[in-house]
Amino acid sequence: MHDHENSEHLASFADVLAGELPGTWTRAHHRPEDKDDLAELTDRIWDLDLVAESLAGHPLRQAVVLTRPDGARLAVLDHPGHNGFLVAAVAPDDLPPEAFRGIREPDGIAVGDDPFRSAELVTGDLLPRVETALTRVRHHAAGVRPSRPDRVVLTWQPDGDLAASPATEEAADILAAHGFVREESGIHRLSGDDTAVQARAVRALGTRLEAMGIATALQHPPG
């Protein structure tokens, strides 16, 4: 069983893990002296299961946070009493609390001491849940309701833009062809700077979607 007091062991494991995960990840190592950072990180761990239970009995003494450009964050933590580590999602801190309401936490996982095998587990198990949860909370924050394969929902935004979350690649391609720009969150947005252009785009894409058997709905965000 490895020495959890050795901060370099955790750091080296996280370095190799990050290199094996899909995408590019930056790394931030929070050591025992970084008490404020560790306290804040504890509050942002996006888990109500295994990792939360571990933290309840063993407060964080160190952690490595991996961050991807699209905003996905993972915390690599010691797993006291076990020969391995914990990997959990870190909730975004730039969204209001109501954005998380009704969204299931992408609970973390326990991994062994082999970073290559651990990367496979994170990629196949944890990351898809993290990406799904991130998309949902960002959509909640923007007031965008998910579309269905047979219905694209366009939501007016306070700044006059229209936002949508297409359910199929075909619908996404039509939105893109009519000026919608896909953001990292997965939301497609059409500028409202020129309302005449915006209106023509909506009419045109509505016609194309209808020809494919896909309805179009316009709505204002909840509240």
Side-chain angles (χ1 to χ4, degrees):
M1 189 171 295
H2 67 67
D3 180 11
H4 285 287
E5 299 300 322
N6 183 354
S7 64
E8 296 310 314
H9 193 143
L10 175 66
S12 60
F13 173 88
D15 283 348
V16 177
L17 178 71
E20 295 298 313
L21 295 176
T24 302
W25 299 80
T26 58
R27 299 175 286 285
H29 187 187
H30 301 297
R31 294 176 170 81
E33 58 269 25
D34 303 326
K35 297 185 186 302
D36 291 343
D37 291 337
L38 291 171
E40 182 178 350
L41 177 60
T42 299
D43 291 338
R44 304 306 302 177
I45 293 294
W46 211 356
D47 182 290
L48 286 179
D49 192 20
L50 173 68
V51 181
E53 181 180 353
S54 177
L55 291 175
H58 304 88
L60 275 184
R61 299 192 61 184
Q62 62 166 329
V64 176
V65 176
L66 310 180
T67 303
R68 202 166 60 182
D70 64 357
R73 290 189 293 171
L74 300 174
V76 185
L77 317 173
D78 288 324
H79 193 184
H82 295 78
N83 188 24
F85 300 92
L86 296 170
V87 185
V90 181
D93 51 14
D94 57 348
L95 298 177
E98 54 268 23
F100 296 87
R101 190 168 298 132
I103 304 298
R104 181 175 178 178
E105 294 77 9
D107 295 326
I109 59 174
V111 298
D113 219 4
D114 179 350
F116 300 100
R117 174 58 180 153
S118 298
E120 294 176 1
L121 294 173
V122 172
T123 300
D125 185 9
L126 178 58
L127 266 182
R129 294 201 305 274
V130 173
E131 291 162 353
T132 297
L134 277 174
T135 297
R136 288 177 177 171
V137 296
R138 286 167 176 164
H139 288 189
H140 271 205
V144 178
R145 291 182 182 173
S147 299
R148 302 193 307 260
D150 63 344
R151 184 170 182 261
V152 171
V153 180
L154 307 176
T155 306
W156 292 108
Q157 300 297 291
D159 59 4
D161 289 358
L162 275 172
S165 175
T168 65
E169 288 300 321
E170 291 84 357
D173 290 343
I174 290 175
L175 291 177
H178 291 280
F180 279 77
V181 177
R182 186 185 187 281
E183 299 177 342
E184 288 183 350
S185 65
I187 294 173
H188 291 63
R189 188 178 293 269
L190 177 65
S191 172
D193 291 344
D194 188 326
T195 56
V197 171
Q198 186 185 58
R200 286 196 296 270
V202 170
R203 285 196 295 271
L205 71 87
T207 300
R208 289 188 61 185
L209 289 171
E210 184 178 8
M212 298 173 61
I214 302 174
T216 308
L218 278 168
Q219 67 163 24
H220 289 282

